[in-house]
Amino acid sequence: MISLVVPALSGPNTGGTRFNRRLVAALRDGGQPVQVRDFDTALDAIGHPMALPWIDSLWLPRLGEWLAAAQRVGVPARFGLLTHYLPALVEHGERPPAAGLSEGEALALRHAEAFLVPSEYLASELRALGVDPSRISVLEPGLDLPVEPTPGDPTSTTRAVMLANVVEGKGVAPLLDALAKRLHDDDALELRLIGSLEMEPGYAQRCAVNVREHPALSPRVHLTGPASHENCIHALLEADVLLSASRMESYGMALAEARGCGRPVIARKGGNASAHVRTEWGGRLVDDETAVADALVEFARDTEARRERSRLAWTHRLQRTWSACANDLLAALADRSAPRPPQ
């Protein structure tokens, strides 16, 4: 039995929620029993026999409650961490000093029996923070493409898309500011920003006002709000390029999906972005949001380069199934339970 302590699988269309939902489905499709509980239900079960619970990193702020509950009933506080991200990495955009970790992160590093991470990048960050490599397993997500990909077909107007909630960590505002300064009246460019406007409403409102009031942005940039996963994939297939100005990606689901759709990616350096963006795949990795804007404008103005990068992205598109992800998890769990040779 695999026990997952995660937010509702029917929750918002975030990378972490989709990861949990698709992993559970793939495990069950393969005949593997999976128990899914929320944090409070799992907390009440401490002291009763259960498989090692894998706690979603969204619950890091409540890990102190887990340890206290185990202490009250006199049992070990056993858990593994399903580590979609570490908040301190998002906040700092790079590895923080140990003193910069939250209480929940520090507790997890000390007490978690094991960590499941989506990328080698996040595994390396945990190792640098002092986690023994034997406690870490990389579980790369699969791709879920409800629409069959087709090759890109660049036209005279460059169609760019950004799949990101409109929050500070995604770099939306500085990207818009930089674009506003670089676009010319004759630049044939459209940019769709698809993602929640409610997670940081003040920030999203400032971005919307900037778009509405700036003459270079208002005819070209559209903040469309959230969309279903299927509609996000449709948007990728209709686009010539995916943009990412995020300061840090633990994995980068949107980047991976763009690769699966065979679309070039222009991304800011940070976290696992470098695993998805390579020149030979038609991509471009740059230093900051201003450079993302520069690279997009350059992309839009060079039709031949757009066609070549589209061809490269299609030739090197990513293929990865969720059943492969589920099998990797089972292999990691089997390896952890195997007897260890004497030291």
Side-chain angles (χ1 to χ4, degrees), residues 26 38 56 104 107 187 211 246 279 289 299 325 341:
D38 64 23
D56 191 295
L107 289 174
D187 282 327
V211 168
S246 175
T279 303
E289 301 95 339
F299 182 89
C325 179

Side-chain angles (χ1 to χ4, degrees), residues 121-139:
Y121 156 74
L122 194 50
S124 69
E125 293 296 298
L126 288 176
R127 291 193 295 267
L129 288 167
V131 177
D132 190 292
S134 66
R135 296 164 63 200
I136 305 169
S137 296
V138 177
L139 193 61

Side-chain angles (χ1 to χ4, degrees), residues 82-116:
L82 185 57
T83 320
H84 295 305
Y85 72 112
L86 291 179
L89 291 177
V90 177
E91 179 181 352
H92 291 264
E94 59 186 1
R95 185 186 315 133
L101 295 174
S102 67
E103 179 184 4
E105 289 169 310
L107 289 174
L109 296 187
R110 288 200 304 270
H111 295 284
E113 292 189 18
F115 297 81
L116 294 175

